Amino acid sequence: MSPTASSRLPLGLYALTAGAFGIGTTEFVIMGLLMQVAADLQVSIAAAGLLISGYALGVFVGAPLLTAATQRMPRKAVLVALMIVFTLGNLACALAPNYELLMTARVITSLAHGTFFGVGAVVATGLVSEDRKASAISIMFTGLTVATLLGVPAGAWLGLEYGWRATFLAVTAIGVFATVIIATLVPADRSAPAPLSFRDELRVVGRPQVLLGLLMTVLGFGGMFTVYTYIQPLLTQVTGIADAAVSPILLVFGVGMIIGNLLGGRFADRRLATALLGTLALLVLVMGAMGFALHSRWAMVLFTGLLGAAAFATVSPLQLWVLQKARDAQSLASSLNIGAFNLGNALGAWLGGAVISHGLGLSALPWVAALVPASAFMVALWSLALDRDRDRDRDRASTAQDSQHAGECA
């Protein structure tokens, strides 16, 4: 794929955004349908909640496996095939007669998630010029943020009015639409290099710099979900906001996600290392400051939006950093990084629960959460130091080689 020379972004990029919107909706919409699903399938709320955990586990495990299985396929064909899996999986969810089959359908659907975002990020960067790669990633991930802002509330309303199965049928329709426009608008990959063997790809992603990038992603999003998983009780029980006001406040979080995601992409296009450190530092500051704002309603509304902006400003820098450090195995590394986002989600939810259950209480969540991206910031400094050491060693070797050559000439 040759990057576009035009100042306008290619239509294929927005086709990827549509796919991201559908996948983002199906991942999170179940949160607004738990009571209906539990009542209809006669299971507990806790059991229904495992439909979220099962999906996240499927993303984490499925991303590297499906990427390996499709590594010799053209990337466009992989994206279309993944959207077909996604569409059929949601149709199976809508038709599932019992809890076990619904869980199975959710896990099958989740297998498309990590590889779609991983391969899609590689395709997105190939559609634009070198100085717009991070922005291309942020545009694709806008589909995920818009899903949180609009798709999930719309899906929850649809489930309330017409039953939870109607929501999954609607997401199935989104899948059909996304499949068609990806097949139509994303150009064929005619210049892709011959793929490495899976063993060689694993060797590439096992490089220290790639592993450090994946660790940054886990820690960055682990901190965000330490707070966000428990945002409802934080707002209602600590800040004293009415239950009815929680949904509008979460819309503020969604708006913040979109703004932060787009700004993070622009900053990363200019100076990636600075954007990486800056966005992680901003996330630490927002979480720390939120600890002082817990008892002010207006301040908490503001900081909920800032949390969404700061967290999703890190997405493009983190994704592009991993892509740059794994040039020879971008699809696998990119997919693993999507799995790392989901692992961070799970670990953050666990850490927040541990903070509450061990008696520190809800008020301690922002303080503890801030320590997690602070750790990611330290890892980023370590990674940059390794880059500087490598560059210094390379300069020394080049200088020694030049001196040797000058001596031979003399």
Side-chain angles (χ1 to χ4, degrees), residues 365-378:
L365 286 178
W367 304 106
V368 174
L371 298 175
V372 188
S375 301
F377 182 85
M378 299 304 295

Side-chain angles (χ1 to χ4, degrees), residues 142 144-150 153 228 247-263 301-313:
T142 298
L144 183 63
T145 58
V146 172
T148 306
L149 179 64
L150 299 178
Y228 185 63
S247 292
I249 293 173
L250 293 183
L251 289 178
V252 175
F253 178 85
V255 172
M257 286 171 59
I258 294 174
I259 294 172
N261 178 52
L262 295 174
L263 289 178
V301 173
L302 172 64
F303 274 98
T304 299
L306 290 175
L307 178 63
F312 274 77

Side-chain angles (χ1 to χ4, degrees), residues 265-345:
R266 291 193 175 187
F267 292 148
D269 277 334
R270 295 174 184 174
R271 296 192 65 178
L272 178 56
T274 302
L276 183 68
L277 291 174
T279 54
L280 288 173
L282 178 63
L283 186 56
V284 175
L285 291 174
V286 167
M287 289 178 176
M290 180 180 277
F292 294 104
L294 288 174
H295 300 288
S296 169
R297 296 180 183 180
W298 287 110
M300 275 301 288
V301 173
L302 172 64
F303 274 98
T304 299
L306 290 175
L307 178 63
F312 274 77
T314 68
V315 170
S316 295
L318 287 168
Q319 190 75 4
L320 188 58
W321 184 265
V322 170
L323 284 175
Q324 288 194 356
K325 299 304 176 185
R327 290 188 179 277
D328 299 328
Q330 287 194 340
S331 293
L332 180 59
S334 183
S335 297
L336 285 171
N337 204 43
I338 301 303
F341 280 114
N342 282 269
L343 181 60
N345 297 353

Side-chain angles (χ1 to χ4, degrees), residues 97-305:
N98 55 50
Y99 174 80
E100 291 76 17
L101 287 178
L102 178 58
M103 175 65 82
T104 301
R106 285 279 293 172
V107 171
I108 290 173
T109 306
S110 73
L111 296 178
H113 182 122
T115 306
F116 179 89
F117 279 103
V119 175
V122 176
V123 171
T125 58
L127 292 173
V128 298
S129 57
E130 189 69 29
D131 62 341
R132 304 187 77 182
K133 291 185 180 297
S135 290
I137 293 173
S138 71
I139 291 293
M140 188 188 76
F141 274 86
T142 298
L144 183 63
T145 58
V146 172
T148 306
L149 179 64
L150 299 178
V152 172
W157 173 84
L158 194 62
L160 184 64
E161 293 293 322
Y162 301 102
W164 64 270
R165 297 180 190 276
T167 300
F168 282 104
L169 286 174
V171 178
T172 300
I174 294 173
V176 172
F177 172 73
T179 302
V180 171
I181 65 170
I182 288 173
T184 303
L185 298 179
V186 174
D189 192 350
R190 303 184 187 280
S191 58
L196 298 174
S197 68
F198 187 56
R199 180 178 298 179
D200 289 338
E201 285 196 319
L202 286 177
R203 191 175 296 115
V204 171
V205 299
R207 293 171 182 167
Q209 287 287 47
V210 179
L211 295 177
L212 289 176
L214 296 174
L215 180 58
M216 286 181 234
T217 298
V218 173
L219 294 173
F221 265 66
M224 193 273 278
F225 272 87
T226 300
V227 173
Y228 185 63
T229 303
Y230 304 95
I231 192 68
Q232 182 181 30
L234 265 176
L235 292 173
T236 57
Q237 297 179 27
V238 178
T239 308
I241 290 174
D243 291 343
V246 172
S247 292
I249 293 173
L250 293 183
L251 289 178
V252 175
F253 178 85
V255 172
M257 286 171 59
I258 294 174
I259 294 172
N261 178 52
L262 295 174
L263 289 178
R266 291 193 175 187
F267 292 148
D269 277 334
R270 295 174 184 174
R271 296 192 65 178
L272 178 56
T274 302
L276 183 68
L277 291 174
T279 54
L280 288 173
L282 178 63
L283 186 56
V284 175
L285 291 174
V286 167
M287 289 178 176
M290 180 180 277
F292 294 104
L294 288 174
H295 300 288
S296 169
R297 296 180 183 180
W298 287 110
M300 275 301 288
V301 173
L302 172 64
F303 274 98
T304 299

